[in-house]
Amino acid sequence: MKLFLFSTATIIGATIGAGIFALPYVFAQFGFGVSSLILVVSTIILTIIYQLYGQIILKTSEKHRLVGYARLYLGKKWEWIILIETIFGYYATSLVYLILGGRFLENILGNGNTFWVILFWSIGSILLFWGIRMIAWTEILFSGLMILLVGLLFYWGRPEIVWSNFFWLGNSGNLSLLFLSVGVILSSLLSSASIPEAVQILRQGRQEKLSNKSIFGGIFLSSLFYLLFTFTVVGVCGANTSPDAISGLKSLLGMKAVWLGSILGFIAVSSSFLVLGIYLRDVFYFDYQINKHLANWLTILPPITLYLLGLRDFVKVLGFSGLFVGIIEGLAIILIYQQAKKRIKNEI
């Protein structure tokens, strides 16, 4: 049971990320009811796909990440597709962390958003160059702090909830907003990088049969947590929900809610920014033998460059990247699973 809980917590820790801060905004804009339905459907689809991924890992003796399984079962073409998707997803997510990190620092310390973004990026880059690594359980710890934050926000915000906010249909007929909402919701649930680690935890204890339940628990509980957070923020703020979810609470719940949310949010995005950076740097360095210093620069320069070029709407970045990464990863996992089943049958 201990390994099962740790495996599930690993998935939750990897799933709960920047997407949580964009969800209330898209729910408020598109309509709470329709958006909740999209969240439920996305949760079911991704749970099934990640369970297939878990079976791929269990059926393959070699240890790989998704790009390695694509190379093994689908060939070079799909390896490059997944590699490009991985790099694109990293840059998009890191850009979102930069924007949110700067916004949270602004909430805590005052005006000067661009300055805070550059400071956040500089410190993160230095830590990456120094080779500082986050311990795996810190992701779970920060997710626990986020759960505590949501509990406190619900406690403070419950008296201010306006029930009519949940029945407002929003702009549910807007097609572009539909794609944005689906993309943000998918982005908030994507956690393929955690599945190999979660499955290996169970495999070490010879509890592989629990992998499907662990994946279901991790994705389902993350989705339920998102729904509670979104319920609270949209219930309090309605159509005036801010893009980062936290800033808009100031007029209704006071600065205590904004400060607490911003501090914990900053800690969470800082940790994730460094973890993602190390992951991509290691892909460049270990998998493709790129010089370590060049690998560092390839990891840290594109996100800040995109920010300075004017890409600062993190909701749109999450929406587009969520759709792109979600579709590519989902299709790849289904194709890999089919090939893995065929190969095993042929070997028998």
Side-chain angles (χ1 to χ4, degrees), residues 29-63:
Q29 295 297 311
F30 197 62
F32 189 88
V34 179
S35 299
S36 297
L37 179 61
I38 295 171
L39 177 63
V40 171
V41 173
S42 299
T43 300
I44 293 171
I45 293 173
L46 278 178
T47 297
I48 294 171
I49 288 173
Y50 285 153
Q51 286 177 339
L52 294 180
Y53 189 20
Q55 293 306 305
I56 292 167
I57 296 166
L58 292 174
K59 292 176 187 295
T60 309
S61 56
E62 305 98 325
K63 292 182 181 179

Side-chain angles (χ1 to χ4, degrees), residues 51-87:
Q51 286 177 339
L52 294 180
Y53 189 20
Q55 293 306 305
I56 292 167
I57 296 166
L58 292 174
K59 292 176 187 295
T60 309
S61 56
E62 305 98 325
K63 292 182 181 179
H64 295 286
R65 292 291 181 171
L66 188 57
V67 65
Y69 291 113
R71 178 176 60 246
L72 180 64
Y73 289 109
L74 301 179
K76 276 284 184 181
K77 180 180 177 181
W78 270 99
E79 176 192 0
W80 282 103
I81 291 173
I82 296 300
L83 177 62
I84 292 169
E85 169 266 315
T86 299
I87 294 171

Side-chain angles (χ1 to χ4, degrees), residues 110-127:
N111 295 331
N113 187 268
T114 299
F115 171 77
W116 297 126
V117 169
I118 293 174
L119 179 65
F120 177 76
W121 172 80
S122 300
I123 294 173
S125 300
I126 290 170
L127 292 176

Side-chain angles (χ1 to χ4, degrees), residues 207-225:
Q207 299 179 26
E208 299 95 331
K209 292 182 179 179
L210 295 176
S211 60
N212 279 350
K213 291 182 179 179
S214 176
I215 292 167
F216 169 78
I219 304 299
F220 174 78
L221 291 175
S222 299
S223 182
L224 196 62
F225 170 70

Side-chain angles (χ1 to χ4, degrees), residues 4-289:
F4 172 76
L5 292 176
F6 188 54
S7 173
T8 304
T10 298
I11 296 172
I12 294 173
T15 303
I16 297 174
I20 187 175
F21 300 106
L23 284 174
Y25 178 74
V26 299
F27 270 58
Q29 295 297 311
F30 197 62
F32 189 88
V34 179
S35 299
S36 297
L37 179 61
I38 295 171
L39 177 63
V40 171
V41 173
S42 299
T43 300
I44 293 171
I45 293 173
L46 278 178
T47 297
I48 294 171
I49 288 173
Y50 285 153
Q51 286 177 339
L52 294 180
Y53 189 20
Q55 293 306 305
I56 292 167
I57 296 166
L58 292 174
K59 292 176 187 295
T60 309
S61 56
E62 305 98 325
K63 292 182 181 179
H64 295 286
R65 292 291 181 171
L66 188 57
V67 65
Y69 291 113
R71 178 176 60 246
L72 180 64
Y73 289 109
L74 301 179
K76 276 284 184 181
K77 180 180 177 181
W78 270 99
E79 176 192 0
W80 282 103
I81 291 173
I82 296 300
L83 177 62
I84 292 169
E85 169 266 315
T86 299
I87 294 171
F88 171 83
Y90 162 77
Y91 288 152
T93 305
S94 293
L95 173 61
V96 169
Y97 287 143
L98 286 179
I99 297 168
L100 284 173
R103 191 162 297 183
F104 290 143
L105 283 175
E106 186 176 32
N107 288 340
I108 300 166
L109 300 172
N111 295 331
N113 187 268
T114 299
F115 171 77
W116 297 126
V117 169
I118 293 174
L119 179 65
F120 177 76
W121 172 80
S122 300
I123 294 173
S125 300
I126 290 170
L127 292 176
L128 185 71
F129 268 90
W130 280 352
I132 303 296
R133 288 185 174 271
M134 300 298 292
I135 302 171
W137 59 261
T138 57
E139 281 289 284
I140 300 173
L141 173 62
F142 292 142
S143 296
L145 291 174
M146 290 299 296
I147 292 171
L148 175 63
L149 163 66
V150 171
L152 287 172
L153 286 179
F154 178 74
Y155 175 76
W156 288 333
R158 187 177 52 181
E160 304 294 334
I161 289 175
V162 179
W163 291 99
S164 60
N165 289 336
F166 302 116
F167 299 99
W168 182 63
L169 294 177
N171 300 301
S172 54
N174 188 322
L175 189 60
S176 62
L177 191 55
L178 169 63
F179 286 115
L180 177 68
S181 300
V182 171
V184 169
I185 290 170
L186 280 176
S187 182
S188 70
L189 292 170
L190 291 173
S191 55
S192 62
S194 69
I195 304 302
E197 183 179 352
V199 171
Q200 289 302 329
I201 289 170
L202 293 172
R203 177 180 267 169
Q204 289 170 7
R206 297 183 179 179
Q207 299 179 26
E208 299 95 331
K209 292 182 179 179
L210 295 176
S211 60
N212 279 350
K213 291 182 179 179
S214 176
I215 292 167
F216 169 78
I219 304 299
F220 174 78
L221 291 175
S222 299
S223 182
L224 196 62
F225 170 70
Y226 285 151
L227 197 58
L228 177 61
F229 178 71
T230 304
F231 174 85
T232 303
V233 177
V234 174
V236 172
C237 300
N240 296 317
T241 300
S242 61
D244 68 352
I246 301 298
S247 303
L249 297 171
K250 179 179 178 181
S251 60
L252 294 165
L253 300 185
M255 282 304 298
K256 63 180 181 180
V258 176
W259 281 333
L260 179 61
S262 297
I263 289 170
L264 292 181
F266 176 75
I267 292 172
V269 299
S270 299
S271 165
S272 297
F273 180 76
L274 189 55
V275 168
L276 274 179
I278 291 169
Y279 177 81
L280 183 64
R281 192 269 312 277
D282 287 351
V283 168
F284 286 139
Y285 180 61
F286 292 111
D287 294 342
Y288 292 94
Q289 286 78 52

